[in-house]
Amino acid sequence: MDELIQYGPFLAEGFLENIKLALVAGVISLIFGTVLVSMRVSPTPVLRAAGTIYVNVVRNTPLTLVLAFSALGLSDTLGLTFSTVPRVNSFWVVGLGLAAYTSAFVCEALRSGINTVPLGQAEAARSIGLTFMQSLTLIILPQAFRSVIAPLGSVMIAMIKNTTVATAGGYLADAAANMKEVFDTTGASIPIFLGIVLAFMAVTLPVGYFTGWLARRLAVVR
Amino acid sequence: MTDNGDGAPLIELENVNKYFGTLHVLKDINLTVSRGEVLVVIGPSGGGKSTLCRTMNRLETIDSGKIIFDGRELPAEGRALAALRSEVGMVFQQFNLFAHKTIRENVTLGPTKVRKTPKEQADKRAMELLERVGIANQADKYPAQLSGGQQQRAAIARALAMDPKMVLFDEPTSALDPEMVQEVLDVMIGLARDGMTMVVVTHEMGFARRAANRVVFMADGQIVEETTPDEFFTNPKTDRAKDFLSKILTH
């Protein structure tokens, strides 16, 4: 127990980074995932193909490789930098890499939601003169979102836990990195291990319950 | 029967053909609907009635032929097609009200988003229309809270909110419980009396007799007979029509 108390603040500092990464990746992946699904259902073949290729490549690549590619490929080789402070730069490289990865899953969850919206809804939308984008944003996506809130919750839970591989993208300040640092100096400690597990559960369990509650509350009655 | 066709064509179909795979569902259809006319399309299931109706606002594409609405060929896609559809109302068998929006929002959506009508004005018009179809007191409910008949009347109000030049009815009473059919037909008859151009696919022979200017009998993808309701019901010319009428009118 002593080591958990001793290193607690250091680990909590790391855990705060996990939360910050999750917020960045959560917001961006919901937006970009929506853009992706719009591409995948659009009447334009080029957009559909681009969306499909993106999802299939990113969804089937291990996250550690996506993050390594963000750090080595985009940041180091192509010189894409978000900040001159290396630590801040790494934070954004990992946050955006995680968002890019999670977006593919958000897209697919939403696409299954679109499939639950009866075809008649789209036909009615078109028949009053709405354009494709209007039908999508006013009629189809709002109903699709409501039907996949619970699965989206699962995607978000997975994403929150995925913040622990930030190290793969060169960001060495999260809870998992800090834990490893502590273990390297003091040896493995079960209380520390369990403490971090509990910290994650304190965040992910409410996310699960909240999205489940929201799904019931916002369900579209047909 | 109403008498309000002024003779000028609003929509013309010329040699229209449509296939579903190898199934030839519309065979060389030639049909003109005049302004103010009420055309009823009847016939056996699978005869192409609904498909014909749906080609008129291009919910179904056609494989050959021409459809001219208000002097212009139907646009193929994009904004021009959306603009055309805003002028052709459609009422579906399954109502298809937007499930996540209230009845009032269902009716105001088109005017505010397509016509850019100010919200207040659209709301006022929506309430007038809902009054007209007899469900103004349901305006703030969601579609699932209404009976089928009420939903279908809301769907008619939604179509009318766009001030369409024509309204298509694709079996509007087929999904309704029997006791709700009349309330929807009453609204449609009122609309016909007011001079709306209507194409109605239906099995309601009473409606055809009371409101139609012309009846088209379709079977196997073809227009088999095209005549006045009186003539059709009392003196059908083809065996196919006689056979159909004997099956539905004896009960």
Side-chain angles (χ1 to χ4, degrees), chain B residues 5-244:
Chain B
D6 68 3
L10 180 60
I11 189 162
E12 297 165 84
L13 286 76
E14 290 172 17
N15 304 316
V16 168
N17 281 283
K18 161 99 186 157
Y19 296 81
F20 284 132
T22 55
L23 191 65
H24 199 171
V25 284
L26 294 179
K27 297 175 185 165
D28 247 349
I29 302 288
N30 285 286
L31 184 67
T32 301
V33 183
S34 307
R35 279 173 215 278
E37 191 180 22
V38 177
L39 177 76
V40 164
V41 184
I42 59 178
S45 298
K49 307 183 300 289
S50 283
T51 309
L52 175 71
C53 183
R54 290 161 57 86
T55 59
M56 294 189 195
N57 69 348
R58 217 178 149 83
L59 279 183
E60 298 287 355
T61 56
I62 57 176
D63 294 309
S64 69
K66 241 203 238 180
I67 300 180
I68 296 158
F69 177 78
D70 207 11
R72 256 180 354 127
E73 197 163 343
L74 289 197
E77 56 182 30
R79 288 192 176 272
L81 179 58
L84 166 106
R85 285 176 175 148
S86 73
E87 298 187 338
V88 180
M90 178 125 194
V91 175
F92 299 86
Q93 182 175 356
Q94 299 295 341
F95 331 132
N96 294 345
L97 290 172
F98 304 131
H100 63 308
K101 293 194 175 288
T102 64
I103 299 302
R104 188 205 309 265
E105 289 166 345
N106 265 275
V107 180
T108 57
L109 187 78
T112 53
K113 298 297 177 184
V114 178
R115 298 250 191 274
K116 312 293 178 199
T117 308
K119 193 179 171 302
E120 258 176 49
Q121 200 182 323
D123 266 342
K124 189 162 160 282
R125 173 92 172 116
M127 289 316 292
E128 285 169 14
L129 288 167
L130 290 173
E131 194 73 56
R132 177 170 169 188
V133 300
I135 51 166
N137 55 343
Q138 314 286 337
D140 295 312
K141 290 190 181 167
Y142 286 88
Q145 295 172 286
L146 269 57
S147 72
Q150 290 172 327
Q151 287 191 55
Q152 194 60 298
R153 286 184 280 155
I156 294 173
R158 177 176 67 183
L160 295 180
M162 299 302 289
D163 292 320
K165 292 178 177 158
M166 171 169 85
V167 183
L168 307 170
F169 292 83
D170 185 5
E171 303 208 21
T173 57
S174 299
L176 295 175
D177 290 338
E179 75 270 24
M180 291 169 185
V181 169
Q182 199 54 47
E183 64 190 49
V184 172
L185 290 181
D186 285 344
V187 169
M188 291 168 60
I189 288 168
L191 206 53
R193 294 227 163 96
D194 291 347
M196 177 59 78
T197 310
M198 295 161 65
V199 173
V200 185
V201 174
T202 187
H203 297 295
E204 295 296 332
M205 300 304 143
F207 175 81
R209 278 175 187 276
R210 284 182 63 193
N213 299 101
R214 198 151 47 108
V215 168
V216 161
F217 176 72
M218 269 191 93
D220 306 320
Q222 284 171 313
I223 291 180
V224 181
E225 279 196 42
E226 186 179 342
T227 178
T228 63
D230 272 352
E231 183 72 10
F232 180 73
F233 289 113
T234 54
N235 188 20
K237 295 207 169 45
T238 58
D239 289 343
R240 195 77 179 79
K242 282 177 193 160
D243 180 51
F244 177 75

Side-chain angles (χ1 to χ4, degrees), chain A residues 73-183:
Chain A
L74 296 181
S75 199
D76 294 356
T77 310
L78 295 178
L80 187 69
T81 48
F82 303 97
S83 168
T84 47
V85 184
R87 193 188 135 110
V88 177
N89 188 52
S90 289
F91 175 86
W92 285 102
V93 165
V94 169
L96 291 175
L98 187 57
Y101 177 79
T102 309
S103 299
F105 293 88
V106 170
C107 168
E108 290 307 277
L110 279 175
R111 205 158 64 93
S112 72
I114 286 177
N115 290 334
T116 69
V117 181
L119 185 62
Q121 296 284 308
E123 288 189 343
R126 283 148 68 195
S127 78
I128 58 169
L130 297 181
T131 60
F132 170 77
M133 278 310 284
Q134 285 177 321
S135 303
L136 191 68
T137 55
L138 297 170
I139 306 299
I140 309 301
L141 282 177
Q143 295 186 53
F145 258 113
R146 287 160 186 239
S147 69
V148 296
I149 292 172
L152 275 180
S154 296
V155 170
M156 289 301 133
I157 287 172
M159 181 274 293
I160 292 167
K161 295 183 297 178
N162 281 343
T163 56
T164 53
V165 297
T167 318
Y171 191 58
L172 307 176
D174 87 306
N178 289 3
M179 179 184 80
K180 185 171 180 300
E181 199 178 320
V182 173
F183 285 0

